[in-house]
């Protein structure tokens, strides 16, 4: 007589709960990535800078460090175009005005810097100038400098968010520090791009 024994194994699957915060952050990252992909002017807002989160994911910082300036090819015919030259001059003027605004903000961190920026920077014109100037570079380099171009536009939105205060409320030291941090980044991004010319 043969006896057959059957063993039943039960597998228990443990599911890690997804927090509402993680879910919302995931949605925000997906929306931000889609916005960049479609060229929409979206500025994600979050504690600590959500913009940096998706920007570093889509456009890793190491890309910029790998740019070999000696190998960059510049189309001199496009560079000579009056519209491109005008755009380049406007970018240099924006950079100069940025220095003046930073000096003013350091002297008076309670100034209405948002209004001053809106009067100084036309986002649509700035974007147009950036695209014209960037078109001078070869395609391979543009894949890397595109991150700087997007960064400059994003920096403006982040400065507005960092400097914004409630009505009649003074700007806190934390907001002043954060605003200065984004001013530093905007300055660096302008310098990175203009260094090619």
């Amino acid at each position: 007589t043969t006896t057959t024994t059957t063993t039943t194994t039960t597998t228990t699957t443990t599911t890690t709960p997804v927090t509402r915060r993680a879910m919302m952050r995931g949605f925000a990252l997906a929306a931000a990535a889609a916005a960049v992909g479609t060229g929409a002017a979206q500025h994600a807002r979050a504690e600590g800078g959500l913009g940096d989160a998706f920007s570093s994911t889509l456009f890793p910082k190491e890309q910029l460090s790998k740019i070999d300036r000696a190998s960059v090819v510049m189309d001199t015919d496009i560079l000579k175009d009056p519209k491109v030259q005008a755009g380049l001059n406007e970018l240099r003027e924006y950079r100069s005005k940025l220095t003046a605004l930073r000096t003013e903000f350091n002297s008076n961190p309670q100034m209405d810097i948002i209004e001053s920026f809106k009067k100084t920077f036309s986002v649509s014109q700035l974007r147009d100038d950036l695209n014209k100037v960037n078109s001078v570079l070869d395609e391979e380099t543009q894949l890397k400098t595109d991150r700087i171009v997007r960064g400059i536009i994003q920096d403006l939105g982040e400065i507005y968010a960092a400097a914004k205060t409630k009505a009649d409320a003074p700007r806190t030291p934390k907001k002043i520090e954060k605003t200065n941090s984004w001013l530093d980044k905007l300055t660096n991004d302008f310098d990175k791009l203009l260094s090619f010319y």
Side-chain angles (χ1 to χ4, degrees):
T1 301
T2 303
T3 302
T4 303
T5 303
T6 303
T7 303
T8 303
T9 303
T10 302
T11 302
T12 303
T13 303
T14 303
T15 304
T16 303
V18 179
T19 64
R20 178 180 176 82
R21 181 183 180 88
M23 185 180 294
M24 294 305 294
R25 180 173 177 81
F27 288 156
L29 283 169
V36 173
T38 58
Q42 298 289 337
H43 300 296
R45 299 285 183 264
E47 186 72 23
L50 178 58
D52 268 354
F54 77 83
S55 179
S56 61
T57 300
L58 298 178
F59 309 101
K61 291 182 178 181
E62 58 266 21
Q63 285 188 342
L64 298 180
S65 63
K66 290 182 180 179
I67 298 179
D68 181 4
R69 300 304 173 95
S71 66
V72 172
V73 178
M74 187 176 292
D75 192 320
T76 55
D77 289 334
I78 296 179
L79 182 61
K80 292 176 182 177
D81 187 302
K83 292 182 180 180
V84 174
Q85 281 297 310
L88 184 57
N89 289 333
E90 286 177 357
L91 289 180
R92 287 170 175 158
E93 186 175 346
Y94 278 136
R95 175 62 181 83
S96 178
K97 290 179 178 179
L98 176 58
T99 298
L101 284 172
R102 292 189 65 181
T103 300
E104 186 178 357
F105 185 72
N106 286 333
S107 298
N108 178 21
Q110 299 301 332
M111 67 176 284
D112 190 349
I113 191 171
I114 297 177
E115 186 62 27
S116 295
F117 260 85
K118 288 181 177 180
K119 289 180 178 179
T120 303
F121 292 87
S122 167
V123 175
S124 59
Q125 183 61 52
L126 174 60
R127 184 183 291 108
D128 186 54
D129 290 336
L130 289 168
N131 289 334
K132 286 177 181 176
V133 169
N134 200 35
S135 68
V136 173
L137 303 172
D138 62 275
E139 291 184 4
E140 185 176 348
T141 302
Q142 282 186 44
L143 292 175
K144 300 168 184 177
T145 56
D146 276 349
R147 181 177 182 271
I148 306 176
V149 170
R150 288 183 175 92
I152 289 174
I153 299 299
Q154 178 189 319
D155 294 344
L156 288 176
E158 295 292 356
I159 288 171
Y160 297 163
K164 187 177 181 180
T165 60
K166 295 181 179 179
D168 301 323
R171 190 168 288 118
T172 64
K174 183 177 179 179
K175 276 192 164 291
I176 293 172
E177 180 182 0
K178 195 168 184 179
T179 301
N180 273 320
S181 177
W182 282 108
L183 286 170
D184 287 341
K185 186 175 182 304
L186 179 59
T187 301
N188 290 334
D189 283 341
F190 262 111
D191 289 344
K192 285 177 185 177
L193 186 64
L194 291 174
S195 68
F196 286 94
Y197 308 90

